Amino acid sequence: MSEIEILPRRFDAPESQALIRAALADLGARYGGSGDETPVDADEFVPPAGAFLIAYLDGRPVGCGGWRSHGEDDDEAELKRMYTAPDARGRGVARSVLAAIERSARDAGRKRIVLECGDKQPEAIAMYTSSGYERIPNFGYYKDAPGCLSFGRTL
């Protein structure tokens, strides 16, 4: 079995952007349009206000995810751009990235992490709920959109 290596990268780095484009294409196939219209700025993922991580299997980038500051008091982080390439799914990549994101946010002083997800992502919903995330009131760009589901977890 291959070992998963997770490393910090800039959100706007070429490897990051390739994975993000794949993530948005996946979301676009599920929901239509560009996949996600949420405003995102690469600078939001620069420590200590955020982080972006890439997962590698055998030296190949296969997954990503990050967090950015959320809310007024810097106690919360928002999970963004979680993705695992189809050929790497079922190998623990997403759970490894999620755990690394949570560690990073906790190490930066965040006490809670929140996320938006859509109802056409049953795999993601199952992973988040089995990882201790609970439904919270919808927030963010899609808070009033049909099918929007928001989750949160204390770190």
Side-chain angles (χ1 to χ4, degrees), residues 7 9 20 27 33 46 58 86 92 97 103 123 125 131 134 141:
L7 298 172
R9 295 290 185 251
I20 291 166
L27 291 172
V46 175
D58 301 322
V97 171
R103 270 191 310 277
E123 322 91 316
I125 293 166
S131 298
E134 297 177 343
Y141 190 82

Side-chain angles (χ1 to χ4, degrees), residues 30-81:
R30 293 174 195 247
Y31 299 102
S34 68
D36 187 355
E37 299 292 329
T38 304
V40 174
D41 183 328
D43 290 338
E44 296 173 317
F45 298 88
V46 175
F52 196 76
L53 307 171
I54 294 184
Y56 297 85
L57 275 176
D58 301 322
R60 186 174 60 93
V62 297
C64 64
W67 69 271
R68 63 184 181 177
S69 293
H70 179 78
E72 300 294 320
D73 56 11
D74 281 342
D75 279 349
E76 283 191 343
E78 181 186 8
L79 181 73
K80 292 299 294 175
R81 300 297 185 250

